[in-house]
């Protein structure tokens, strides 16, 4: 038996806000509860509600810029930069800029809608 798995068919998460989410590894794709790895593209003007996830989230920006509001502090990352946001920290993700933002997100443990705790 092989000791590796090549992901050729990531799960495309259905969205209503124009964001593209392709989960390569995680709960939806490989039933992995320890880690999720997703390729994302956030369109211009996109934003999510504030949330306080029960997982660490690492983000690496490939193209464009992404804005984070972390415990009230605004942080803007550009292509080639990355960030780790610790679990149980209130955060909002957005792309208030004029170009799409392409990035990779890694969550440990894996992303789960039950663990993200988005505000209404």
């Amino acid at each position: 038996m092989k000791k590796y798995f090549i992901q050729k068919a990531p799960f495309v998460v259905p969205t209503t806000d124009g964001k593209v989410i392709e989960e390569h590894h995680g709960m939806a794709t490989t039933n992995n509860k320890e880690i999720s790895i997703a390729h994302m593209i956030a369109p211009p003007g996109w934003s999510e509600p504030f949330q306080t996830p029960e997982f660490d989230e690492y983000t690496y920006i490939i193209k464009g810029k992404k804005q984070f509001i972390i415990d009230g502090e605004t942080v803007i990352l550009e292509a080639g930069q990355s960030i780790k946001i610790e679990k149980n920290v209130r955060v909002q993700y957005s792309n208030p800029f004029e170009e799409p933002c392409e990035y990779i997100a890694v969550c440990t443990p894996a992303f789960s809608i039950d663990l993200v705790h988005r505000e209404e």
Side-chain angles (χ1 to χ4, degrees):
M1 184 160 66
K2 292 183 180 182
K3 301 289 183 180
Y4 63 89
F5 168 73
I6 298 173
Q7 179 57 273
K8 296 179 182 177
F11 177 72
V12 178
V13 178
T15 64
T16 58
D17 58 4
K19 184 178 178 185
V20 175
I21 305 171
E22 296 176 336
E23 183 184 272
H24 284 258
H25 297 276
M27 298 285 290
T29 306
T30 55
N31 201 32
N32 186 334
K33 297 177 183 177
E34 296 176 22
I35 189 169
S36 58
I37 302 172
H39 174 243
M40 305 198 195
I41 301 174
W46 166 86
S47 70
E48 286 183 341
F50 279 92
Q51 55 196 355
T52 307
E54 293 181 48
F55 47 79
D56 291 335
E57 185 161 356
Y58 301 79
T59 302
Y60 173 75
I61 308 298
I62 298 168
K63 294 180 187 173
K65 296 187 282 188
K66 185 175 178 187
Q67 178 175 286
F68 305 76
I69 300 176
I70 308 163
D71 278 344
E73 180 181 353
T74 301
V75 176
I76 297 171
L77 290 188
E78 299 181 2
Q81 295 180 319
S82 64
I83 191 169
K84 175 194 177 190
I85 301 173
E86 294 183 8
K87 64 183 174 183
N88 302 317
V89 171
R90 187 172 186 258
V91 60
Q92 183 200 38
Y93 302 103
S94 66
N95 178 10
F97 309 105
E98 295 181 6
E99 62 186 62
C101 178
E102 181 178 5
Y103 61 100
I104 301 291
V106 177
C107 300
T108 58
F111 176 91
S112 165
I113 199 69
D114 296 330
L115 300 178
V116 74
H117 305 295
R118 289 196 176 119
E119 297 176 14
E120 296 296 321

